Amino acid sequence: MSETKTSTFTGYEKFIIALLATLQFTVVLDFMVLSPLGYILLDKLSISTSQFGLVVSAYAFSAGASGLITAGFADKFDRKKLLLFFYTGFVIGTFLCGIAPSYNFLLMARIFTGIFGGVISSISFAIITDLFAINVRGRVMGFVQMAFASSQVLGIPIGLYLAKAFSWHAPFLMIVGLSIVVGLLIVTYMKPINAHLKIQAKGNAFQHLGKTLTRPDYLQAFAATTLLATGGFMLMPFGTAFGVNNLGIKETELPTLYMITGICMLVFSPFIGKLSDKIGKYKVFLAGSAITCVMTLIYCNLSVTPLWIIIGLNVLLFIGITGRMISASALMTAVPEPQDRGAFMGINSSIQQIAGGIAALIAGFIVSESSTGFIENYPTLGNVVVVAVIITALLMYRIHKYVTAKLAMTASAAAPDPVV
């Protein structure tokens, strides 16, 4: 649990990074697979864009509510046991999605899945913060966040293939099978993570939650997180429908688009993580924000476009989004005190989920589908995302200054201050 480790990872640490990355892959894929399945669900379930937006946001809202309720308990238990409990619930919820016979059943299944799945990322980030020093967390986050790229390279293309070959239920059942393997690895090989229990805050879980939720130093981080989730949650739910109906992408070309983008992110994610540790997490965040703004404005205003241009623009857009995600996640881990890490990560994840749910719901009302399937008002959606990205960059600057001052005060005289 030392905060003064070198950048060299032990064999066990490499295993933990790989395990958490695979675990994140299953959780991320469970959420992201809804986007490419969007055009299928709109047809098969005969639902509107606002109803589909509700399916996406239902997961986020239930995840947010669950995270807030459980945040106070996050520092009261061994993190391994907590992870296993919620991951088991996530697997059950995903299985229910895989057998859903109707829209209402699917909606309820997404709520159940969100109650458990939405807490997993916060527990994973607390584990990373416990086990790895701040000066290597960018690299760790870079590898763990490869889950997003991996889901595009492997998960989404395979999911689309299974959906077309069998039914839209098949991708969820695939995730269940992989998740069971991951769960067994956690049970068998992960060591207990309980050093935080020796320094846990006084008072019961609800008092701990209240103090963490109202601490002034943490409030600015929660505010930044509120807007940080807006971009992805607004663009993602209708990205595939926009690509097929507005940009002229053929359904058979979707796996190619996702796979090439994902492969590029597999290459860039570790590089972005290392870069954030080397030159500074906030600098990387700013660069990612600038790229995201430019590419969002271009992408959302496209009409029918050749596939190779769409792929290039999509790769650049995801480089920007990934740069923001990795650097912000690494920077946020330095905000809480050791005894507050579980609660802080739980609250932060909950706020992200709730804000994302609101964003997805709003997006469902901003855009609409014409009788021909054309997605209208997507440029307006892009403008809203850009404004959110700019405001978030200003809020993250305050986080950067706070973390820099905090690390300067706590660093030992013999060790140089970590780059943030």
Side-chain angles (χ1 to χ4, degrees):
M1 304 295 176
S2 172
E3 291 289 325
T4 59
K5 291 181 181 178
T6 67
S7 59
T8 302
F9 298 125
T10 66
Y12 178 71
E13 287 174 334
K14 291 177 182 178
F15 165 74
I16 290 297
I17 293 172
L19 183 63
L20 292 179
T22 308
L23 180 144
Q24 282 291 97
F25 169 76
T26 60
V27 176
V28 170
L29 182 59
D30 175 80
F31 174 77
M32 289 188 68
V33 78
L34 270 179
S35 178
L37 291 179
Y39 73 99
I40 297 177
L41 292 176
L42 289 172
D43 176 49
K44 296 295 183 181
L45 299 180
S46 300
I47 58 177
S48 64
T49 55
S50 59
Q51 286 178 304
F52 180 67
L54 183 59
V55 170
V56 177
S57 60
Y59 178 101
F61 287 137
S62 61
S66 172
L68 284 176
I69 293 172
T70 60
F73 298 89
D75 295 304
K76 306 291 185 181
F77 298 95
D78 180 339
R79 301 208 199 281
K80 174 184 175 179
K81 294 179 179 178
L82 207 63
L83 183 63
L84 279 172
F85 173 77
F86 283 101
Y87 199 54
T88 300
F90 162 78
V91 174
I92 295 173
T94 303
F95 176 75
L96 293 175
C97 294
I99 62 172
S102 65
Y103 169 75
N104 289 331
F105 192 102
L106 177 63
L107 183 62
M108 293 300 104
R110 295 309 293 166
I111 292 173
F112 183 90
T113 308
I115 290 174
F116 292 91
V119 185
I120 293 172
S121 290
S122 64
I123 300 173
S124 298
F125 288 167
I127 291 173
I128 290 172
T129 309
D130 283 345
L131 299 182
F132 300 94
I134 181 64
N135 59 304
V136 298
R137 282 183 206 153
R139 271 164 279 192
V140 176
M141 288 294 181
F143 281 104
V144 172
Q145 297 289 19
M146 283 172 65
F148 289 87
S150 300
S151 68
Q152 293 191 7
V153 174
L154 300 174
I156 292 180
I158 294 174
L160 281 171
Y161 171 79
L162 292 175
K164 293 183 70 67
F166 301 99
S167 74
W168 62 265
H169 301 87
F172 293 106
L173 298 178
M174 175 191 70
I175 296 170
V176 170
L178 178 59
S179 299
I180 291 174
V181 176
V182 175
L184 292 175
L185 288 174
I186 295 174
V187 172
T188 307
Y189 296 108
M190 180 180 279
K191 299 175 184 178
I193 303 174
N194 52 21
H196 60 282
L197 299 179
K198 301 174 184 177
I199 54 173
Q200 62 178 293
K202 297 179 179 179
N204 60 41
F206 295 102
Q207 290 174 326
H208 183 40
L209 172 62
K211 290 179 180 179
T212 306
L213 190 58
T214 58
R215 180 167 170 166
D217 295 338
Y218 298 164
L219 286 177
Q220 59 184 354
F222 298 149
T225 297
T226 300
L227 287 174
L228 193 60
T230 303
F233 275 93
M234 276 195 161
L235 293 178
M236 195 184 306
F238 303 100
T240 302
F242 175 73
V244 171
N245 298 313
N246 294 47
L247 304 186
I249 301 175
K250 299 177 182 177
E251 292 182 15
T252 55
E253 296 173 335
L254 286 175
T256 301
L257 171 63
Y258 284 111
M259 184 171 292
I260 293 177
T261 303
I263 290 173
C264 291
M265 291 307 100
L266 282 175
V267 174
F268 279 102
S269 292
F271 172 75
I272 291 171
K274 291 180 180 179
L275 194 64
S276 67
D277 285 336
K278 184 176 182 180
I279 71 171
K281 297 170 179 60
Y282 183 66
K283 290 180 180 178
V284 172
F285 181 83
L286 275 184
S289 297
I291 294 172
T292 299
C293 287
V294 173
M295 300 316 302
T296 297
L297 291 175
I298 294 174
Y299 195 83
C300 292
N301 285 277
L302 291 176
S303 55
V304 176
T305 307
L307 179 63
W308 68 271
I309 295 179
I310 295 174
I311 291 174
L313 295 176
N314 204 52
V315 168
L316 290 173
L317 175 60
F318 270 84
I319 287 175
I321 292 174
T322 304
R324 296 177 78 234
M325 186 186 307
I326 291 173
S327 55
S329 298
L331 191 58
M332 285 289 187
T333 61
V335 172
E337 300 299 328
Q339 66 270 22
D340 298 331
R341 284 172 181 165
F344 175 89
M345 296 300 177
I347 295 170
N348 201 52
S349 178
S350 296
I351 291 174
Q352 185 180 47
Q353 296 284 358
I354 293 172
I358 294 174
L361 200 58
I362 293 174
F365 287 103
I366 292 177
V367 303
S368 59
E369 186 179 33
S370 68
S371 58
T372 61
F374 187 86
I375 302 298
E376 299 176 333
N377 301 322
Y378 213 72
T380 301
L381 194 63
N383 294 337
V384 173
V385 170
V386 168
V387 171
V389 170
I390 294 173
I391 297 175
T392 306
L394 298 175
L395 290 174
M396 286 300 294
Y397 177 73
R398 294 178 60 88
I399 307 300
H400 162 67
K401 298 297 290 185
Y402 169 75
V403 170
T404 301
K406 176 183 175 182
L407 292 176
M409 290 178 60
T410 58
S412 64
D417 292 340
V419 177
V420 297

